[in-house]
Amino acid sequence: MKHMTRDALLAYINAESNQETEVENHLLECETCTDLYLSIVEEVEMNSGLSAHFTDDTLQQLEIRLPAPSRKKQNHVFIHYLVAAGLTILLTITGVFQGALDVSDIQQKKGGSITDHLMTKTDGVLQEIKGVHRHE
């Protein structure tokens, strides 16, 4: 069996070879050429290392492609948070949440724990959903 030359393997690695299938078939069969191929690949990878400025250059390209969010958009987000906080305070002051927080009425009317009451309500909702799907 004739072994591959270093130049032929280097041409294959650099995609400059027009005999790709022959080289691949030979590498599958010949362990000596496979070892030489792997050593050449390691050399090529070590010689083509990243530049010292690779990270900086990449980040600069990303900044060009993905500009920072505008101040207008940042202001809209802040306004949404203010509106949500304001509505929460308003609803709390007007007593809208009082019914949800007043659990003593549930215990007095139904006699039992809040958990039992919630489970009964949940079971009723699930039964209602099942009934709706049966009729469709």
Side-chain angles (χ1 to χ4, degrees), residues 10-18 20:
L10 192 57
Y12 172 73
I13 291 171
N14 293 329
E16 298 169 350
S17 174
N18 56 0
E20 292 177 2

Side-chain angles (χ1 to χ4, degrees), residues 6-99:
R6 183 178 182 83
D7 293 334
L9 290 173
L10 192 57
Y12 172 73
I13 291 171
N14 293 329
E16 298 169 350
S17 174
N18 56 0
Q19 300 175 349
E20 292 177 2
T21 46
E22 291 85 7
V23 172
E24 290 170 0
N25 289 334
H26 183 79
L27 289 174
L28 289 172
E29 295 174 4
C30 181
E31 188 175 331
T32 305
C33 291
T34 303
D35 292 339
L36 178 61
Y37 168 75
L38 293 175
S39 67
I40 294 171
V41 167
E42 286 177 15
E43 287 176 27
V44 169
E45 286 178 356
M46 288 168 56
N47 291 337
S48 66
L50 301 176
S51 69
H53 304 289
F54 175 77
T55 304
D56 295 332
D57 295 340
T58 304
L59 288 175
Q60 286 176 353
Q61 290 177 2
L62 285 175
E63 287 174 2
I64 291 169
R65 291 183 185 168
L66 302 172
S70 66
R71 294 283 292 161
K72 186 177 180 182
K73 189 166 191 145
Q74 290 175 345
N75 288 339
H76 283 287
V77 171
F78 184 69
I79 290 170
H80 288 148
Y81 281 120
L82 284 178
V83 168
L87 282 174
T88 303
I89 292 169
L90 178 69
L91 293 173
T92 303
I93 290 172
T94 59
V96 172
F97 296 128
Q98 188 63 33

